[in-house]
Amino acid sequence: MDTTNVPLQPPSFGNLITVLSIDGGGIRGLIPGTILNFLESELQKLDGEDARIADYFDVIAGTSTGGLVTVMITAPNEKNRPLFSAKDIKEFYLNHCPKIFPQKSRSLWVAKIIKALSGPKYNGKYLHKLVKEKLGDTKLHQTLTNIVIPTFDIRLLQPTIFSSYELKNNPSLDVAVSDICISTSAAPTYLPAHHFKTQDVATGDVREFNLIDGGVAANNPTLLAMGEVTKEAVRGNPDFFAIKPTDYSRFLVISLGTGSPKDEMKYTAEKAAKWGLLQWLTAGGSTPIIDVFSHASSDIVDFHLSVVFKALHCENNYLRIQDDTLSDVVSSVDVATKNNLNALVEVGENLLKKPVSRVNLETGVFEASNAETNGQALIRFAKLLSQERWLRHARSPHGMAAGAAAGVK
């Protein structure tokens, strides 16, 4: 029986809570995009060619470029199916990144520095027009599964989290997903901050948003997604079974990074000790201050989850896929040349062949944790996701009604 067009039934009918998380990283979104294509193809082998990532996850979280991917694979088309399949992500990035991040001659480095000190590197006009055309008037409540996307409000100096779970408590968050994408991608120095307003139909109250890149709040939003789920369970949401604080075995988590530079490409205290504002913004052709907080945020979340899942004897329920061997140009977030974009696709493909690894915060190096490759782990997770989906369907009123109609006892 085909359940592709049947919504994923609530976790209360199954054994697990399924979570997918995608880091921020500009054009490096091609790396998790390639990984997602592999995962979706494995799900299609199990459940048919119409299977999509959104059919299997209770919540998908994404930051910055990860937020864009999250919306792409969860926003509905006219048939109420995902607007983009995972295989579409690659072509989207290859076709549009060169226009979002137009490349200028390296000989104009002085002009680049002046631009960096006087305004964002890119005006964002193409990106803004693109997402509004693709996503139209789709609102947060319309996504095909729950999503969690962080941004940061520079007027309030605090995170603004766009979470499907919070809509009942805070309807002002039910904004156009195009505005969410523009906001979470507005990386300081690269793209302009995004301002918009919403009005509550019932009360007439107006809410104002002044937002920048979600990486300021959580470049790796895995914990954020798990926290949103846990809040719902604590609130007594009937869709969730009771979760104890240490019951991580009920979570099935895939967390996708966007890569980081190899050791020799990173910075040193000896060099940074001499830096002023200009160097922190432009040293090495990159933006060190942005690199520092984004990579620190990503790795510390991975470290925390690795420790907790292992301590609670359920480490096989957590998969983090990340590459810390990117070279100079490939590690950039905006060098959108054809060669570099294709190199990022190759990074994603090679990651599938590498062993599952964990970051060691004492050395900053990713170390192989077992003999399983990332590709093998994704095949294992695809089977678990498919089994969980079928189990929920069979236990739910929808599945039982279908079974009764078919004469199944």
Side-chain angles (χ1 to χ4, degrees):
M1 179 169 53
D2 182 15
T3 65
T4 303
N5 292 316
V6 178
L8 179 63
Q9 299 302 300
S12 55
F13 294 114
N15 294 331
L16 301 167
I17 298 172
T18 53
V19 178
L20 172 64
S21 176
I22 310 164
D23 285 15
I27 60 170
R28 300 199 310 265
L30 270 165
I31 297 175
T34 303
I35 302 298
L36 289 174
N37 185 27
F38 179 85
L39 175 60
E40 191 167 270
S41 69
E42 291 301 317
L43 292 168
Q44 289 169 348
K45 290 177 184 178
L46 296 168
D47 296 331
E49 63 181 12
D50 291 330
R52 296 289 183 268
I53 295 289
D55 297 331
Y56 296 86
F57 288 95
D58 293 305
V59 56
I60 302 178
T63 297
S64 194
T65 194
L68 176 59
V69 171
T70 295
V71 170
M72 288 169 64
I73 61 177
T74 61
N77 61 17
E78 65 280 358
K79 297 180 180 179
N80 206 38
R81 294 294 291 147
L83 189 62
F84 289 82
S85 66
K87 69 179 180 181
D88 296 329
I89 298 171
K90 172 183 172 181
E91 290 306 312
F92 180 90
Y93 274 73
L94 293 179
N95 291 335
H96 297 293
C97 281
K99 298 173 185 176
I100 296 171
F101 304 111
Q103 304 299 292
K104 297 180 180 179
S105 171
R106 288 182 177 270
S107 63
L108 299 177
W109 64 273
V110 174
K112 287 183 180 180
I113 292 176
I114 294 174
K115 176 66 174 176
L117 294 176
S118 61
K121 193 173 182 180
Y122 307 99
N123 60 33
K125 291 181 179 179
Y126 183 85
L127 174 63
H128 297 185
K129 180 182 178 182
L130 176 66
V131 296
K132 288 183 179 296
E133 287 179 351
K134 296 291 184 183
L135 301 172
D137 297 325
T138 301
K139 297 288 187 69
L140 178 57
H141 78 272
Q142 295 175 286
T143 57
L144 298 173
T145 191
N146 298 296
I147 66 172
V148 175
I149 297 179
T151 64
F152 191 86
D153 194 306
I154 55 174
R155 183 175 182 180
L156 302 176
L157 289 181
Q158 64 182 31
T160 295
I161 312 300
F162 291 97
S163 167
S164 303
Y165 296 114
E166 285 297 321
L167 292 181
K168 290 181 180 179
N169 302 313
N170 193 346
S172 68
L173 293 175
D174 193 23
V175 306
V177 291
S178 59
D179 283 318
I180 297 175
C181 288
I182 293 169
S183 300
T184 195
S185 302
T189 77
Y190 288 97
L191 289 163
H194 189 48
H195 172 263
F196 62 98
K197 299 178 181 179
T198 59
Q199 185 172 20
D200 189 302
V201 176
T203 65
D205 293 340
V206 174
R207 177 167 179 179
E208 186 174 352
F209 296 89
N210 296 270
L211 305 177
I212 61 171
D213 189 355
V216 175
N219 202 55
N220 175 348
T222 312
L223 268 178
L224 195 61
M226 295 175 69
E228 290 295 296
V229 167
T230 303
K231 279 196 301 183
E232 287 301 294
V234 171
R235 287 169 176 165
N237 186 330
D239 285 348
F240 293 91
F241 37 70
I243 302 175
K244 297 178 182 179
T246 58
D247 202 6
Y248 273 44
S249 64
R250 305 302 290 270
F251 284 97
L252 189 73
V253 179
I254 298 177
S255 177
L256 304 180
T258 57
S260 63
K262 55 188 177 182
D263 284 344
E264 56 266 34
M265 299 308 302
K266 296 173 184 175
Y267 312 106
T268 66
E270 183 179 9
K271 292 180 179 179
K274 302 173 184 178
W275 288 351
L277 176 62
L278 182 61
Q279 289 82 3
W280 276 105
L281 292 175
T282 62
S286 183
T287 309
I289 190 64
I290 304 295
D291 292 342
V292 168
F293 72 68
S294 63
H295 289 299
S297 167
S298 295
D299 286 349
I300 201 68
V301 170
D302 178 34
F303 179 78
H304 170 82
L305 289 174
S306 296
V307 169
V308 172
F309 272 90
K310 186 173 183 178
L312 299 175
H313 308 291
C314 52
E315 59 264 42
N316 286 335
N317 283 27
Y318 172 63
L319 176 63
R320 172 69 171 172
I321 300 181
Q322 175 70 309
D323 191 312
D324 69 339
T325 64
L326 302 187
S327 61
D328 183 15
V329 176
V330 179
S331 68
S332 76
V333 297
D334 67 329
V335 179
T337 62
K338 181 178 180 180
N339 287 342
N340 196 41
L341 294 174
N342 286 328
L344 288 167
V345 174
E346 187 175 347
V347 169
E349 292 171 345
N350 289 336
L351 258 178
L352 295 169
K353 304 170 188 175
K354 292 184 177 182
V356 173
S357 301
R358 297 281 185 268
V359 65
N360 181 334
L361 284 192
E362 293 183 4
T363 63
V365 176
F366 276 74
E367 301 172 348
S369 58
N370 55 47
E372 191 178 39
T373 66
N374 290 314
Q376 290 169 336
L378 286 169
I379 292 172
R380 175 170 59 85
F381 269 69
K383 292 177 181 177
L384 293 170
L385 289 165
S386 178
Q387 290 168 3
E388 175 69 12
R389 179 174 173 78
W390 279 95
L391 175 64
R392 293 187 192 182
H393 180 74
R395 289 178 175 175
S396 70
H398 188 284
M400 287 188 286
V408 178
K409 295 183 179 179

